[in-house]
Amino acid sequence: MFDLSFDAKIIDTPGIKGFGVVDMDKYELGDYFPEFFKLKQHCKFNDCLHLKEPKCAVKEALQNEEISWSRYKSYLQILEGEEETEHYRTDIWNEEDNE
Ligand SMILES: [Zn+2]
């Protein structure tokens, strides 16, 4: 079902901005992250992007440290390639990333 080598490439590649040009539906992006995919069914919205949506199971798992922030950041970075002007960063990073 999932191409895990592709998945591994996502975390290992610093310059993943290029993924933005790949013709990938942003709503499918989460499906390439197996742990996000599993949680997605628990999100309130079927088309949840796990950004600002309320009752998002992925963000709850992040808060509970059930999934890693580096994975979530990789996800966001790829998503950013598609979305040019979203301001979701500020309320998502919160205390986990104070750099
Ligand atoms: Zn979600």
Side-chain angles (χ1 to χ4, degrees):
M1 273 180 73
F2 298 105
D3 185 346
L4 293 178
S5 61
F6 171 74
D7 187 51
K9 234 176 274 171
I10 290 178
I11 17 178
D12 292 341
T13 308
I16 55 176
K17 291 280 182 200
F19 266 108
V21 300
V22 175
D23 186 21
M24 185 194 290
D25 187 333
K26 65 184 176 184
Y27 293 102
E28 288 176 13
L29 178 59
D31 299 350
Y32 290 94
F33 292 74
E35 67 269 57
F36 290 15
F37 182 75
K38 262 187 278 177
L39 289 164
K40 194 167 85 168
Q41 59 188 307
H42 301 297
C43 290
K44 183 178 166 117
F45 301 104
N46 286 337
D47 59 351
C48 186
L49 287 174
H50 323 306
L51 297 175
K52 290 183 193 170
E53 293 90 343
K55 306 275 184 198
C56 172
V58 169
K59 283 196 295 181
E60 280 172 22
L62 277 170
Q63 299 288 343
N64 298 332
E65 298 182 353
E66 287 162 18
I67 55 180
S68 80
W69 276 84
S70 63
R71 298 277 290 158
Y72 187 64
K73 284 182 196 174
S74 296
Y75 169 77
L76 283 190
Q77 280 174 11
I78 297 170
L79 208 60
E80 275 176 3
E82 311 242 326
E83 297 274 309
E84 289 186 13
T85 50
E86 281 284 339
H87 304 286
Y88 45 76
R89 269 187 177 168
T90 41
D91 62 345
I92 280 176
W93 280 174
N94 60 50
E95 70 271 356
E96 295 288 338
D97 187 352
N98 285 325
E99 293 177 57

